Amino acid sequence: MCFDFYMEEVEKLTNPKNKSKRIVKFEKRLKEYFPDKDIVVTPAGIRFYTKEKKSKKVVAMQKMASNEINLNEISSGEKKIIFLLAVAYLMDDITVLIDEPELSLSLKWQQMLLPDIMRSGNCGLLITVTHSPFIFENEFDMDAKEIRMCMTLG
């Protein structure tokens, strides 16, 4: 499964003593999508926790364990975001082809996704086929073309 592949990549690229810049960027992007959750990327993978409303900075891991969210219980849209951002931020020199990336994503996430993939600095080519006008309501608006405009009849 794709999600298992992501977890293996996180384990390979995470250093428990000193997080790489990629992991830090990946974690930061995830926090933009999940502002209501505490997110920790570790050698064992990624952990989601409900936020402690009274906590000021960091909640001890023992306390956080009681608030942990099982990743099998998150929505398909949340899993999709985690997977696509993991590929974009943790892999080298990628080409991304996505058919209907808008499926299971909120309008806000549709607008954020493609720019975030390109901002990773690891994506040389991004091709997306969509029915959603919102997926390109961002800096890629002028780059979006109808497929019939790109085809030649011959």
Side-chain angles (χ1 to χ4, degrees):
M1 181 177 163
C2 292
F3 199 68
D4 293 333
F5 168 78
Y6 149 73
M7 294 302 284
E8 290 171 14
E9 288 300 307
V10 169
E11 287 177 35
K12 288 180 199 173
L13 295 169
T14 305
N15 179 333
K17 294 181 182 175
N18 185 17
K19 290 184 180 179
S20 73
K21 288 181 183 178
R22 283 184 176 198
I23 295 294
V24 171
K25 283 175 64 176
F26 172 57
E27 200 172 63
K28 182 178 178 184
R29 293 309 321 141
L30 284 179
K31 289 178 181 184
E32 294 285 326
Y33 285 84
F34 302 99
D36 60 330
K37 301 194 176 41
D38 286 318
I39 300 170
V40 179
V41 179
T42 69
I46 185 169
R47 302 277 187 255
F48 279 74
Y49 302 94
T50 56
K51 278 198 174 178
E52 288 287 325
K53 293 188 168 112
K54 296 179 184 176
S55 69
K56 292 182 180 174
K57 291 192 176 182
V58 179
V59 179
M61 290 301 288
Q62 296 85 3
K63 189 172 182 182
M64 288 175 70
S66 65
N67 301 327
E68 186 168 0
I69 300 167
N70 185 330
L71 293 182
N72 292 325
E73 296 173 4
I74 65 176
S75 73
S76 59
E78 290 169 323
K79 288 177 184 174
K80 181 188 287 189
I81 288 295
I82 293 167
F83 173 74
L84 290 173
L85 292 180
V87 168
Y89 282 85
L90 303 178
M91 298 185 75
D92 289 320
D93 208 17
I94 60 171
T95 296
V96 178
L97 174 61
I98 311 173
D99 183 26
E100 298 185 14
E102 70 274 7
L103 298 179
S104 303
L105 299 183
S106 69
L107 295 180
K108 180 180 177 184
W109 284 7
Q110 288 180 40
Q111 294 167 334
M112 293 169 61
L113 179 61
L114 300 185
D116 282 342
I117 290 172
M118 293 306 293
R119 281 189 203 110
S120 72
N122 300 322
C123 184
L125 178 63
L126 174 63
I127 300 171
T128 303
V129 180
T130 183
H131 296 281
S132 172
F134 305 105
I135 204 82
F136 291 109
E137 276 193 0
N138 49 46
E139 58 259 39
F140 294 116
D141 185 42
M142 300 310 282
D143 297 319
K145 305 277 186 261
E146 288 186 42
I147 195 152
R148 66 177 164 215
M149 296 178 75
C150 299
M151 298 171 57
T152 58
L153 299 175

